[in-house]
Amino acid sequence: MSGLLGGMLHPLAMPAHVLALLAIGLLIGQHEQRFIPLAAFVAGLAAGLGALASAFATTAAANVLLVVTTVSALLVALAYPVPVLVSVPLVAIAGAALGVDSPPEAISIAVAIATLIGTGIGATLAVAIVAAGTGFLGRPWQQIGVRILGSWIAASAILVLALRFVRGQLL
Amino acid sequence: MPANDAILARALASHRHRRAVASAAPLLLVLVGTSAAAHTGSASGGFVGGFAHPIFGPDHVVAMVAVGLWGAFLGAPAIWLLPIVFPLVMAGGGVLGILGVPLPGVEIGIALSAVVLGLMVALAARPPLWVAAVLVGAFAIFHGHAHGAELPPGADVVAYSVGFVVATGLLHLAGIAFGLLARWPAGRLAVRAAGGAIALAGLAFLRGAG
C-alpha cells in the first residue's frame, strides 16, 4: 500500500491506528473548542511523519500510541472536561507516535514521500470527521453512546497493552 | 519452564470452563432453544475469533445480557453506567488472566454472576447505584480473567481484543434493548421472567462448576 491514496488508507488499515484515531477524534469532539487540539494533533502528526522521513524510527511508537489511546479513551468514557493544557500535549503525542509508527512500504523516495503525505491527510481527515461527528451528537443518549464507545476502546487498548507485555513487545 | 506451566494452567482452566458449561447445556437447550455451544475459547485469532469468543460461551452470554437488562431496569444513570463500567473492569480481569495471575473460583464466579444478576432482574431489585456498579464490576473481573486466560497464543492482538470487547458490548446493548420493554407492564413481566431464566441457567452453570 503506497502512493498518496495508499498513504491515506494506511491509518485505516491498521487496527491499532483506527483505535487511536477514534479515541483522539472522540476526545477532541467532546471539547468545546475543537480547533486547538485538532491543530495540535496535526502538528504532532507532521512532526512524526517528518521524523520518519528523516530516517528516525523507534519501535516504542506503537506502545506510546497504545498508552495515549488508552488515556484518551478513558477520558472519553469518563466525559471528564479535560483542560486544553492536558488535551493538547496528549493529542500531539498521539499524532507524533502515529506518524512515526507509519513507515511507508515504498521502493522510491518520491513514492515514500507521497505515501507519508497521504498518511498525514488520511489521519487528519479521520480525526476531523470523528471529532465533527461527535460534536453533532448533542442528545443525552448520543453522548452516552460516545462514552460507551470510549470504554470499549479503552478496554481493547488495555488488553492489547497486557498482551504486548506478556509477549515481551512492550518493554 | 514457567511458560509451559502457564500454558498448562490455561488449558486446565479452559477444560474446567468447558466442563461447567457442558453440564449446564441441557437447561440452556430448554431456556434458549439453541444448541449449547461450549465456551471453548476461540481457536482462531483476529476480529472474528475475538468476537466469537464471548458469543459462543453461553455462561458469558446470559451474564452480559443480564447486565444490560438490569441497567435498563434500573433506568438512568445505571443504564449507561453499567455498560461503561463492565468493559473497563473486565479488561482489568483480562489483564490478570493474560499475565497468568491466578484467580480462585473463576468458573464459580462466572456462574454466580448469572445467578445474582438474573435474580436482581427477576426480583426487580433497585439497590443504590454504587452497589450495582460494584456488583457488576466484581463479576466483570471473573469474566475478563476467563477471556484473558483462554486467549489463543497466535491471535492478532488488536483485532482480537476489539472483537472481544465489541461482542461483549453488543450483548449488553441487546440486554438493554430487551430491558426497555420494562416500560410497559407486560414487558416488565417479560423482562423479569428473562431474569429468572438467566438465574436458573446460572444455577445450572454453578452445578457444573462446583
Side-chain angles (χ1 to χ4, degrees):
Chain A
M1 196 183 292
S2 58
L4 191 68
L5 185 61
M8 286 177 73
L9 295 175
H10 187 265
L12 304 179
M14 298 180 68
H17 289 192
V18 173
L19 277 186
L21 294 171
L22 270 174
I24 297 299
L26 292 173
L27 183 68
I28 293 174
Q30 281 183 332
H31 262 274
E32 289 288 323
Q33 294 179 329
R34 298 184 189 98
F35 180 74
I36 296 172
L38 183 60
F41 173 77
V42 174
L45 183 63
L49 292 170
L52 197 62
S54 308
F56 172 81
T58 170
T59 52
N63 296 328
V64 171
L65 188 62
L66 271 171
V67 171
V68 176
T69 300
T70 305
V71 174
S72 303
L74 280 173
L75 290 171
V76 170
L78 293 171
Y80 184 75
V82 188
V84 174
L85 279 175
V86 174
S87 65
V88 162
L90 193 66
V91 299
I93 292 169
L98 195 137
V100 175
D101 194 39
S102 304
E105 296 169 5
I107 52 171
S108 73
I109 292 175
V111 174
I113 290 173
T115 308
L116 290 177
I117 291 171
T119 300
I121 294 170
T124 303
L125 277 177
V127 167
I129 289 168
V130 173
T134 307
F136 275 114
L137 303 176
R139 295 183 179 179
W141 68 268
Q142 292 171 331
Q143 291 172 349
I144 291 165
V146 168
R147 295 180 64 180
I148 290 175
L149 192 55
S151 82
W152 290 6
I153 295 170
S156 302
I158 288 168
L159 288 170
V160 175
L161 280 169
L163 283 163
R164 290 183 69 90
F165 176 76
V166 165
R167 292 178 181 180
Q169 299 167 329
L170 190 60
L171 300 174
Chain B
M1 301 285 276
N4 288 341
D5 290 347
I7 291 168
L8 184 62
R10 289 179 185 195
L12 286 171
S14 183
H15 174 71
R16 282 196 297 272
H17 204 134
R18 281 197 297 271
R19 196 186 58 184
V21 172
S23 68
L27 180 58
L28 274 174
L29 278 168
V30 176
L31 290 173
V32 298
T34 182
S35 61
H39 181 231
T40 57
S42 173
S44 63
F47 181 83
V48 175
F51 191 86
H53 196 259
I55 300 284
F56 287 106
D59 46 354
H60 289 290
V61 170
V62 294
M64 299 306 106
V65 171
V67 170
L69 283 176
W70 199 26
F73 215 81
L74 291 170
I79 193 170
W80 57 262
L81 185 66
L82 299 186
I84 289 174
V85 167
F86 195 97
L88 292 174
V89 182
M90 184 185 71
V95 169
L96 295 177
I98 290 166
L99 296 178
V101 177
L103 184 66
V106 171
E107 307 308 327
I108 293 172
I110 290 171
L112 267 179
S113 70
V115 174
V116 174
L117 295 173
L119 276 177
M120 291 293 128
V121 176
L123 300 174
R126 289 181 174 275
L129 183 59
W130 69 268
V131 174
V134 167
L135 200 59
V136 166
F139 288 133
I141 292 174
F142 290 107
H143 285 270
H145 191 281
H147 288 310
E150 293 174 11
L151 189 96
D156 173 353
V157 177
V158 181
Y160 187 93
S161 299
V162 170
F164 153 79
V165 171
V166 167
T168 300
L170 289 179
L171 287 171
H172 288 157
L173 292 182
I176 288 173
F178 186 66
L180 290 176
L181 291 174
R183 292 176 178 181
W184 296 278
R188 191 176 173 83
L189 196 64
V191 171
R192 291 182 68 174
I198 288 171
L200 282 176
L203 281 176
F205 293 137
L206 197 58
R207 184 172 162 272

